């Protein structure tokens, strides 16, 4: 069956360090992969999209990698801050048109002083 | 800024009631989506619409129906609410460029409790 795995355990890191979150998938060949941030009681907010032919994408302190051989995406936040504390969701397009996304359950990041 | 609004943040309904959840987007997006989010299960797609009056079932459509009479508005209907439909409901929209849709913009969510 199709599966997207994100670490369900919270990731606790110290301010200033790099946070790395993992998204693994099986039985998909997604054309796109997206990352979203969700704060408690709010809807997810789009962060980054990476295509299957892109190895890496950056936006300010964020970096996403996409390894279609390993079926894995890594999401990095450099110089992390307490304001980065949130749940981060990865989402895959399995249709090739990005019309419908399948979301992982998310990983909660806690950045402490 | 894209804005997706949902009619209620919190809603309490009784078992058997008919429930309407409304979603409006202001960016002329072609696609609109309804998800529910439950702890440990993540976001699950209920229905999606790619055009006015057009809809497709998502992963968990049972017990729900939808209506899209205008491009900016997408309604989710619970014909006869049940306690297992207690959840956070999220609406989203996305644009289409060429034949590809891109990032989704979410509303703030409606926390529905069915008693």
């Amino acid at each position: 069956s199709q599966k997207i795995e994100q670490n369900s355990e919270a990731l606790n890191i110290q301010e200033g360090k790099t946070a790395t979150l993992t998204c693994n998938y099986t039985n998909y060949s997604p054309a796109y992969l997206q990352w979203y941030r969700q704060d408690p009681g709010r809807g997810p907010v789009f962060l980054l999209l990476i295509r299957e032919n892109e190895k890496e994408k950056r936006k300010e302190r964020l970096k996403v990698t996409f390894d279609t051989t390993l079926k894995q995406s890594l999401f990095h936040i450099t110089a992390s801050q307490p304001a980065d504390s949130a749940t981060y969701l990865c989402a895959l397009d399995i249709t090739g048109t990005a019309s419908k996304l399948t979301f992982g359950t998310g990983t909660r990041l806690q950045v402490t002083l | 800024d894209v804005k997706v609004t949902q009619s209620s943040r919190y809603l309490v309904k009784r078992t058997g009631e008919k429930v309407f959840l409304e979603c409006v987007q202001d960016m002329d997006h072609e696609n609109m989506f309804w998800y529910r989010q439950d702890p440990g299960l993540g976001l699950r797609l209920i229905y999606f619409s790619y055009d006015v009056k057009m809809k497709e079932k998502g992963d968990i459509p049972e017990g729900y129906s939808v209506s899209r009479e205008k491009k900016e508005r997408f309604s989710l209907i619970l014909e006869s609410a049940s306690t297992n439909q207690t959840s956070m409901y999220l609406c989203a929209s996305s644009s289409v460029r060429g034949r590809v849709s891109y990032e989704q913009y979410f509303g703030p969510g409606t926390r529905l409790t069915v008693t």
Side-chain angles (χ1 to χ4, degrees), chain A residues 7 9-11 27 31 34 37 67-68 72 86 103 106 109:
Chain A
N7 194 344
E9 291 183 16
L11 178 64
N27 299 331
Q34 302 182 21
R37 169 187 171 135
D67 189 325
T68 55
Q72 181 181 78
F103 284 83
L109 173 67

Side-chain angles (χ1 to χ4, degrees), chain A residues 32 36 38 41 46 97-99, chain B residues 9 33 37 100-101 103-104:
Chain A
Y32 302 86
Y36 289 77
Q38 187 173 24
F46 171 76
T97 63
S99 294
Chain B
R9 288 302 309 273
F33 308 84
Q37 187 173 31
V100 179
S101 305
E103 65 271 20
Q104 294 186 13

Side-chain angles (χ1 to χ4, degrees), chain B residues 4-34:
Chain B
V4 179
T5 56
Q6 296 184 228
S7 48
S8 307
R9 288 302 309 273
Y10 300 95
L11 210 51
V12 180
K13 295 292 181 181
R14 295 200 179 273
T15 301
E17 278 194 82
K18 191 168 186 175
V19 181
F20 292 87
L21 302 182
E22 302 282 334
C23 175
V24 178
Q25 51 96 1
D26 66 358
M27 282 301 291
D28 203 36
H29 283 174
E30 292 82 359
N31 294 336
M32 295 189 75
F33 308 84
W34 275 107

